[in-house]
Structures are given as structure tokens and as C-alpha cells.
Short mmCIF file of all heavy atoms in Angstrom, two decimals:
data_model
loop_
_atom_site.label_atom_id
_atom_site.label_comp_id
_atom_site.label_asym_id
_atom_site.label_seq_id
_atom_site.Cartn_x
_atom_site.Cartn_y
_atom_site.Cartn_z
N VAL T 1 -3.72 1.51 -14.66
CA VAL T 1 -3.35 2.86 -14.20
C VAL T 1 -2.90 2.89 -12.75
O VAL T 1 -2.35 3.90 -12.31
CB VAL T 1 -4.51 3.85 -14.40
CG1 VAL T 1 -4.91 3.93 -15.86
CG2 VAL T 1 -5.72 3.46 -13.55
N GLY T 2 -3.12 1.83 -11.98
CA GLY T 2 -2.83 1.85 -10.56
C GLY T 2 -1.45 1.32 -10.21
O GLY T 2 -0.79 0.68 -11.03
N VAL T 3 -1.03 1.58 -8.98
CA VAL T 3 0.29 1.15 -8.52
C VAL T 3 0.24 -0.15 -7.74
O VAL T 3 1.27 -0.65 -7.32
CB VAL T 3 0.95 2.24 -7.64
CG1 VAL T 3 1.23 3.49 -8.47
CG2 VAL T 3 0.07 2.57 -6.42
N ALA T 4 -0.95 -0.72 -7.53
CA ALA T 4 -1.05 -1.94 -6.71
C ALA T 4 -2.02 -2.95 -7.30
O ALA T 4 -2.97 -3.37 -6.64
CB ALA T 4 -1.47 -1.58 -5.28
N PRO T 5 -1.79 -3.40 -8.53
CA PRO T 5 -2.68 -4.42 -9.09
C PRO T 5 -2.63 -5.74 -8.32
O PRO T 5 -3.58 -6.53 -8.38
CB PRO T 5 -2.16 -4.58 -10.53
CG PRO T 5 -0.73 -4.13 -10.47
CD PRO T 5 -0.72 -3.02 -9.48
N GLY T 6 -1.53 -5.97 -7.59
CA GLY T 6 -1.41 -7.20 -6.80
C GLY T 6 -2.36 -7.27 -5.63
O GLY T 6 -2.51 -8.33 -5.01
N ALA T 7 -3.02 -6.16 -5.30
CA ALA T 7 -3.98 -6.15 -4.20
C ALA T 7 -5.39 -6.51 -4.65
O ALA T 7 -6.29 -6.64 -3.82
CB ALA T 7 -3.99 -4.77 -3.54
N ALA T 8 -5.59 -6.69 -5.94
CA ALA T 8 -6.93 -7.01 -6.43
C ALA T 8 -7.37 -8.38 -5.94
O ALA T 8 -6.56 -9.28 -5.70
CB ALA T 8 -6.93 -6.98 -7.96
N VAL T 9 -8.69 -8.55 -5.80
CA VAL T 9 -9.30 -9.83 -5.44
C VAL T 9 -10.21 -10.23 -6.60
O VAL T 9 -11.20 -9.54 -6.86
CB VAL T 9 -10.11 -9.73 -4.14
CG1 VAL T 9 -10.74 -11.07 -3.80
CG2 VAL T 9 -9.23 -9.24 -2.99
N PRO T 10 -9.88 -11.29 -7.31
CA PRO T 10 -10.66 -11.67 -8.50
C PRO T 10 -12.16 -11.76 -8.20
O PRO T 10 -12.58 -12.39 -7.23
CB PRO T 10 -10.09 -13.04 -8.88
CG PRO T 10 -8.68 -12.99 -8.37
CD PRO T 10 -8.75 -12.21 -7.09
N GLY T 11 -12.94 -11.09 -9.04
CA GLY T 11 -14.39 -11.15 -8.91
C GLY T 11 -14.98 -10.07 -8.03
O GLY T 11 -16.21 -9.92 -7.99
N TYR T 12 -14.15 -9.29 -7.34
CA TYR T 12 -14.66 -8.29 -6.41
C TYR T 12 -14.11 -6.91 -6.73
O TYR T 12 -12.97 -6.77 -7.21
CB TYR T 12 -14.27 -8.64 -4.97
CG TYR T 12 -14.95 -9.88 -4.43
CD1 TYR T 12 -14.41 -11.13 -4.65
CD2 TYR T 12 -16.14 -9.78 -3.71
CE1 TYR T 12 -15.03 -12.28 -4.16
CE2 TYR T 12 -16.77 -10.91 -3.22
CZ TYR T 12 -16.22 -12.15 -3.44
OH TYR T 12 -16.83 -13.28 -2.96
N ARG T 13 -14.89 -5.90 -6.43
CA ARG T 13 -14.42 -4.53 -6.50
C ARG T 13 -13.64 -4.21 -5.23
O ARG T 13 -14.14 -4.43 -4.11
CB ARG T 13 -15.59 -3.57 -6.67
CG ARG T 13 -16.28 -3.69 -8.01
CD ARG T 13 -17.49 -2.77 -8.13
NE ARG T 13 -17.11 -1.35 -8.01
CZ ARG T 13 -17.99 -0.35 -8.16
NH1 ARG T 13 -19.26 -0.62 -8.42
NH2 ARG T 13 -17.59 0.90 -8.05
N VAL T 14 -12.43 -3.70 -5.39
CA VAL T 14 -11.55 -3.42 -4.25
C VAL T 14 -11.13 -1.96 -4.30
O VAL T 14 -10.73 -1.45 -5.35
CB VAL T 14 -10.29 -4.31 -4.27
CG1 VAL T 14 -9.30 -3.88 -3.19
CG2 VAL T 14 -10.68 -5.77 -4.08
N ALA T 15 -11.22 -1.29 -3.15
CA ALA T 15 -10.72 0.07 -3.00
C ALA T 15 -9.52 0.01 -2.06
O ALA T 15 -9.60 -0.63 -1.00
CB ALA T 15 -11.79 0.99 -2.42
N GLY T 16 -8.42 0.66 -2.43
CA GLY T 16 -7.24 0.55 -1.58
C GLY T 16 -6.28 1.70 -1.75
O GLY T 16 -6.47 2.57 -2.59
N LYS T 17 -5.25 1.68 -0.92
CA LYS T 17 -4.19 2.70 -1.02
C LYS T 17 -2.90 2.15 -0.47
O LYS T 17 -2.87 1.53 0.59
CB LYS T 17 -4.57 3.98 -0.25
CG LYS T 17 -3.55 5.09 -0.42
CD LYS T 17 -3.54 5.60 -1.86
CE LYS T 17 -2.35 6.53 -2.15
NZ LYS T 17 -1.10 5.77 -2.35
N THR T 18 -1.81 2.38 -1.22
CA THR T 18 -0.48 1.97 -0.78
C THR T 18 0.11 3.00 0.18
O THR T 18 -0.32 4.15 0.24
CB THR T 18 0.46 1.84 -1.98
OG1 THR T 18 0.51 3.11 -2.66
CG2 THR T 18 -0.03 0.79 -2.94
N GLY T 19 1.14 2.56 0.89
CA GLY T 19 1.88 3.47 1.75
C GLY T 19 3.34 3.08 1.82
O GLY T 19 3.65 1.90 2.02
N THR T 20 4.23 4.06 1.63
CA THR T 20 5.67 3.85 1.82
C THR T 20 6.20 5.10 2.50
O THR T 20 6.07 6.21 1.95
CB THR T 20 6.40 3.64 0.48
OG1 THR T 20 5.84 2.51 -0.19
CG2 THR T 20 7.89 3.38 0.73
N ALA T 21 6.76 4.93 3.69
CA ALA T 21 7.20 6.09 4.47
C ALA T 21 8.59 5.86 5.04
O ALA T 21 8.94 4.74 5.41
CB ALA T 21 6.21 6.36 5.61
N GLN T 22 9.37 6.93 5.10
CA GLN T 22 10.66 6.86 5.77
C GLN T 22 10.44 6.67 7.27
O GLN T 22 9.48 7.21 7.84
CB GLN T 22 11.46 8.14 5.52
CG GLN T 22 11.79 8.39 4.06
CD GLN T 22 12.61 9.65 3.89
OE1 GLN T 22 13.80 9.68 4.18
NE2 GLN T 22 11.94 10.71 3.44
N ARG T 23 11.34 5.90 7.88
CA ARG T 23 11.25 5.67 9.32
C ARG T 23 12.27 6.55 10.05
O ARG T 23 13.44 6.65 9.65
CB ARG T 23 11.53 4.21 9.66
CG ARG T 23 10.51 3.25 9.08
CD ARG T 23 10.43 1.97 9.88
NE ARG T 23 11.71 1.40 10.20
CZ ARG T 23 11.87 0.39 11.06
NH1 ARG T 23 10.82 -0.12 11.68
NH2 ARG T 23 13.07 -0.11 11.29
N ALA T 24 11.82 7.15 11.12
CA ALA T 24 12.70 7.98 11.95
C ALA T 24 13.40 7.12 12.99
O ALA T 24 12.79 6.22 13.58
CB ALA T 24 11.90 9.08 12.63
N SER T 25 14.68 7.39 13.20
CA SER T 25 15.46 6.67 14.20
C SER T 25 15.50 7.47 15.49
O SER T 25 15.76 8.68 15.48
CB SER T 25 16.88 6.43 13.69
OG SER T 25 17.72 5.96 14.72
N SER T 26 15.26 6.78 16.61
CA SER T 26 15.33 7.45 17.90
C SER T 26 16.76 7.77 18.30
O SER T 26 17.01 8.63 19.14
CB SER T 26 14.69 6.57 18.98
OG SER T 26 15.35 5.31 19.05
N GLU T 27 17.71 7.11 17.67
CA GLU T 27 19.11 7.32 18.01
C GLU T 27 19.66 8.61 17.40
O GLU T 27 20.28 9.42 18.07
CB GLU T 27 19.95 6.12 17.57
CG GLU T 27 19.58 4.82 18.29
CD GLU T 27 20.41 3.65 17.82
OE1 GLU T 27 21.28 3.86 16.92
OE2 GLU T 27 20.21 2.53 18.33
N CYS T 28 19.40 8.76 16.10
CA CYS T 28 19.95 9.96 15.45
C CYS T 28 18.93 11.09 15.33
O CYS T 28 19.28 12.19 14.88
CB CYS T 28 20.46 9.59 14.06
SG CYS T 28 19.15 9.14 12.89
#
């Protein structure tokens, strides 16, 4: 059900959160 199965660590319980953000340009 999650969006980041690649962040799992075998044998351990992992809590996490992804982030994707637009970057602001200082020029425009």
C-alpha cells in the first residue's frame, strides 16, 4: 500500500515519509 517500499530495511520496522517538491528559482 505504500509509495516507498525501497526504503524498507529487512528484519526491522521502519517508519518513513517521501518528499517531492517544486523548486523556486531566484532568477524568475
Side-chain angles (χ1 to χ4, degrees):
V1 301
V3 295
V9 179
Y12 292 87
R13 292 177 62 176
V14 172
K17 184 68 191 77
T18 58
T20 302
Q22 298 181 76
R23 296 205 313 170
S25 169
S26 58
E27 296 180 0
C28 68

